[in-house]
Amino acid sequence: MNKIIRLPVILCTTTIIAAGALAIVNNLTKPRIDAQKKAALQAALTQVLPRAKEGVIVPVKRSGKLEYYVGYARKDTTNKVGYIFIARGKGYSSTIETLVGINTAGIIEGIKVLHQLETPGLGAKIVEIRHGEQKPWFQVQFIGKRKDDLTVDKDGGTIQSITGATISSRALTNSIRQAIEELEKKIGGFAKVDNRVKPDGKNGIPCITGATVPSLSPVRSTGKASSDR
Amino acid sequence: MSLWYEFSKGIYKENPIFRLVLGMCPTLAVTTSVQNAIGMGIATTFVLFSSNLLISIIKNAVPKRIRIPMYIVVIASFVTIADLVMAAYEPALHKSLGIFVPLIVVNCIILGRAEAFAGKNRVLPSILDGLGMGIGFTLALLALGLVREILGNGTIYGYPVLGSGYNPMLIMILPPGAFLILGLYLGFFNWLDRKRKVS
Amino acid sequence: MELRALFVIVIAAIFINNFVLIRFLGICPYMGVSKQLDSAIGMGLAVIFVMTLASFATWLAYYFLLAPTANNLFYHIFRLSCPPDLTFLRTIVFILVIATLVQFVEMVIQKTSPALYRALGIYLPLITTNCAILGVTVLNVDEAYNLIESLVQGAAAGVGFTLALVLMAGLREKLETADIPEALKGTPIAFIMAALMSIAFLGFAGLSI
């Protein structure tokens, strides 16, 4: 056979065989990879909104894009316990993405940093778990806070910022505060009563469906900390 | 040329990192901790072993002129397998190694061994060569990861070893630390060599 | 807004996340080709050229052949019920695209511009196994950049690589005459210098753009 034809044919055949072998491996591992991803998402969601653990967490989408999640304490979606959303803020060297669980009265129940590439040892301490502790100490501070409490100590607020990493601390704190404001607009305000006290099944907030959500933009903060270094 | 030699040369005498100075990108990038170093070492060893095995089997059927692209296809396939398996069973490690998992393809050690060894030798020496090189690579990563994690974070494999009073030398787990420690290691091995030659 | 986003990508790829000194991509050519200034410049130009082309070609390959989008060509040609997800072939397809591209570029340059071929020719074969090229194409996909953003990141990454390479080559030429310990001569001192340059580049991380 002509060499000019033979060589590419051999190369193509090899590539096709390789692709076939990879397709098999892909089929074998795909269910597990998908299950891992789903489990990781579910774990993160229930971690920030623990009371929805026994119930369901329903994503609210608008034109295919995720807006936020609504968490219910029961499977039949009667007892709404709160919302979960992703806050994004520009930190020192990366965009910090945080999953935030908030109850119907607007009180933070839990947060989890999903993505950050801050400086190791400084900004990356937003995810640091001190030895002997279970949860990252910086994030634990947010539990039980309302929107208005969310400023770092250097700005006169209640969140204790990380030494040497004010920009990262402030970016995270401000992004959550702004994301809560966005969420408030979308859901038409929080309930006056803290339903953690009286979980009575109905809490008076009109049920939100995807179609009536006003804003479209993802919950994104543009608030980069201005100065201070 | 004994089989033992083919296996052991990769560990010290021709160590891919400290002697041949190959595969620098993953070496510098993933050695921020012992855990990452081990994960990357095992994945690379798997690819080296498998590609050396397959290439030494098919070497006579491969036309000389297209051997390099053929080798690349073989290597890329094993890298993808390692990538998928790692994503399925060790998702946390997979995430922390990031793009350096697919980049095992362009690790010069692997194509280098395929071209310089597996393409010319029989099956048994080839797999021993692959294993030895892989282990040598892993040990070198470990040596770097250990120093960087102890100095930069005060821990080994996540366990604190230097006590709470230790103030970590951050620079060690930042990019400059990688270059510095590797440079010092290379200097150290040069020094050992020179000393041996003199005596 | 669009322009601002592109500007951020450029600055990030050249300075803040310099491909060589911060991301550790393309270390082998960085150490191998930085002994002389001339060859460093030649290599740098070749890398910029191939990176931009590779960003373009792999972006098309990914979104029209591999990713499960409505544009997937297999979906249209074979009239499948839903777009196939072939993303597991990413590594193998990208490396083949890059290898083919390098071969092709080499042939074209050789035929059309002998002068350019003399300048870049010897560096092109080395580029296939330059992990910065595969690295930038994988990053483009991981960060879900569009075609323009991918092209910009490809070119800027090449410029960042060239910058690091040329700086290093300038330093190493001076180093020839410097008095350093015997054991550190050659590669070890080059790595230690790279560490110092990396410290300098870390300073860019604080840029607020």
Side-chain angles (χ1 to χ4, degrees), chain B residues 6-163:
Chain B
E6 299 305 351
F7 175 73
S8 63
K9 68 177 188 295
I11 295 171
Y12 182 77
K13 198 163 166 284
E14 292 180 25
N15 185 292
I17 294 179
F18 293 143
R19 293 314 177 91
L20 308 180
V21 198
L22 290 174
M24 287 298 111
C25 304
T27 306
L28 295 165
V30 305
T31 51
T32 48
S33 71
V34 170
Q35 197 177 3
N36 283 354
I38 294 175
M40 180 49 102
I42 291 173
T44 310
T45 308
F46 162 76
V47 176
L48 260 170
F49 174 83
S50 322
S51 67
N52 265 14
L53 171 67
L54 190 58
I55 287 168
S56 65
I57 292 173
I58 62 167
K59 64 172 185 290
N60 292 327
V62 177
K64 273 275 169 291
R65 286 191 54 191
I66 53 163
R67 65 180 193 288
I68 299 288
M70 294 277 277
Y71 294 168
I72 290 180
V73 170
V74 170
I75 294 168
S77 308
F78 284 118
V79 169
T80 310
I81 292 173
D83 193 358
L84 291 171
V85 170
M86 197 188 277
Y89 293 91
E90 283 291 333
L93 182 66
H94 185 257
K95 201 179 165 195
S96 88
L97 293 179
I99 68 163
F100 286 94
V101 181
L103 289 186
I104 297 174
V105 175
V106 279
N107 187 328
C108 345
I109 300 168
I110 297 168
L111 191 60
R113 294 326 290 174
E115 167 73 357
F117 201 92
K120 293 175 186 147
N121 286 283
R122 284 190 302 180
V123 177
L124 192 59
S126 295
I127 57 176
L128 288 175
D129 175 78
L131 263 186
M133 284 289 163
I135 292 170
F137 183 69
T138 310
L139 289 176
L141 288 187
L142 207 56
L144 274 157
L146 206 60
V147 172
R148 290 183 69 193
E149 194 183 334
I150 292 176
L151 294 178
N153 207 23
T155 59
I156 296 179
Y157 208 86
Y159 296 102
V161 286
L162 290 179

Side-chain angles (χ1 to χ4, degrees), chain C:
Chain C
M1 204 54 206
E2 176 75 354
L3 264 181
R4 187 177 177 277
L6 294 181
F7 181 71
V8 170
I9 292 176
V10 171
I11 298 296
I14 299 179
F15 297 111
I16 303 175
N17 286 321
N18 184 284
F19 264 58
V20 178
L21 295 169
I22 305 292
R23 282 202 203 266
F24 301 120
L25 293 168
I27 302 289
C28 290
Y30 177 63
M31 287 297 159
V33 200
S34 62
K35 286 177 186 126
Q36 282 167 343
L37 201 53
D38 292 350
S39 50
I41 293 171
M43 182 68 172
L45 292 178
V47 166
I48 296 177
F49 189 56
V50 174
M51 262 191 182
T52 317
L53 273 183
S55 295
F56 179 71
T58 54
W59 192 90
L60 292 182
Y62 189 80
Y63 287 102
F64 286 95
L65 296 177
L66 302 179
T69 62
N71 302 328
N72 192 302
L73 286 180
F74 295 119
Y75 172 56
H76 291 291
I77 295 172
F78 299 111
R79 306 199 171 280
L80 302 171
S81 54
C82 58
D85 184 358
L86 299 175
T87 47
F88 64 93
L89 291 175
R90 182 182 72 178
T91 310
I92 198 166
V93 167
F94 278 21
I95 190 76
L96 284 177
V97 166
I98 293 169
T100 319
L101 200 67
V102 170
Q103 282 280 315
F104 185 70
V105 167
E106 198 178 348
M107 270 168 16
V108 170
I109 296 186
Q110 198 175 7
K111 288 268 167 9
T112 57
S113 164
L116 194 61
Y117 184 74
R118 272 197 299 281
L120 302 185
I122 53 165
Y123 305 109
L124 284 171
L126 293 173
I127 283 181
T128 312
T129 52
N130 180 342
C131 59
I133 312 272
L134 185 62
V136 78
T137 59
V138 172
L139 279 174
N140 284 339
V141 169
D142 274 356
E143 291 175 24
Y145 281 160
N146 64 29
L147 185 56
I148 306 281
E149 287 170 337
S150 298
L151 277 174
V152 169
Q153 162 140 307
V159 174
F161 176 83
T162 311
L163 177 69
L165 191 65
V166 168
L167 286 176
M168 188 60 157
L171 287 172
R172 278 180 94 167
E173 282 190 347
K174 294 269 180 284
L175 211 62
E176 292 292 309
T177 54
D179 182 25
I180 43 173
E182 278 298 320
L184 290 180
K185 273 189 179 160
T187 325
I189 195 74
F191 273 108
I192 293 170
M193 276 195 331
L196 298 176
M197 285 169 67
S198 180
I199 293 178
F201 272 74
L202 268 189
F204 289 118
L207 280 182
S208 57
I209 45 172

Side-chain angles (χ1 to χ4, degrees), chain A:
Chain A
M1 219 195 315
N2 190 339
K3 220 173 184 179
I4 300 209
I5 301 172
R6 200 171 66 105
L7 293 184
V9 167
I10 293 178
L11 197 54
C12 281
T13 320
T14 321
T15 313
I16 290 167
I17 295 171
L22 291 181
I24 296 170
V25 177
N26 184 53
N27 276 343
L28 290 176
T29 51
K30 200 169 175 32
R32 212 187 147 90
I33 294 174
D34 290 345
Q36 292 270 18
K37 278 186 187 158
K38 212 177 154 193
L41 177 68
Q42 192 60 33
L45 290 174
T46 48
Q47 188 195 324
V48 298
L49 198 61
R51 282 187 298 148
K53 206 169 188 171
E54 305 296 317
V56 284
I57 295 171
V58 189
V60 176
K61 289 181 180 171
R62 195 180 146 89
S63 45
K65 267 189 166 175
L66 178 74
E67 289 269 298
Y68 54 87
Y69 297 90
V70 183
Y72 300 93
R74 297 200 198 111
K75 293 258 190 253
D76 56 5
T77 70
T78 51
N79 190 347
K80 186 191 283 180
V81 289
Y83 308 90
I84 300 171
F85 55 86
I86 296 171
R88 294 186 181 86
K90 185 96 182 66
Y92 187 69
S93 56
S94 65
T95 300
I96 304 171
E97 275 185 18
T98 318
L99 196 67
V100 184
I102 194 165
N103 69 21
T104 46
I107 296 169
I108 294 177
E109 300 237 324
I111 74 169
K112 180 181 169 66
V113 173
L114 296 177
H115 174 82
Q116 59 87 19
L117 291 169
E118 296 299 283
T119 320
L122 293 171
K125 282 196 177 170
I126 53 176
V127 293
E128 180 194 50
I129 300 174
R130 282 188 185 138
H131 187 60
E133 292 178 2
Q134 298 294 316
K135 290 176 175 172
W137 62 273
F138 181 73
Q139 297 174 41
V140 168
Q141 305 183 65
F142 288 79
I143 298 173
K145 297 260 160 70
R146 286 172 183 277
K147 181 188 78 186
D148 298 335
D149 306 331
L150 293 182
T151 32
V152 292
D153 46 8
K154 289 208 175 164
D155 301 339
T158 57
I159 302 292
Q160 187 203 339
S161 52
I162 296 161
T163 317
T166 316
I167 291 183
S168 307
S169 317
R170 194 183 270 153
L172 181 68
T173 313
N174 290 354
S175 74
I176 294 179
R177 190 181 63 240
Q178 282 160 14
I180 295 177
E181 279 167 12
E182 297 253 342
L183 179 77
E184 237 179 329
K185 279 181 212 153
K186 286 177 197 164
I187 60 170
F190 291 112
K192 295 277 186 290
V193 221
D194 180 357
N195 77 342
R196 282 187 303 181
V197 191
K198 282 189 290 178
D200 58 358
K202 297 222 165 61
N203 49 32
I205 296 180
C207 188
I208 307 298
T209 60
T212 58
V213 178
S215 166
L216 202 151
S217 65
V219 192
R220 182 185 286 267
S221 152
T222 50
K224 158 114 188 173
S226 49
S227 60
D228 166 82
R229 279 201 297 111

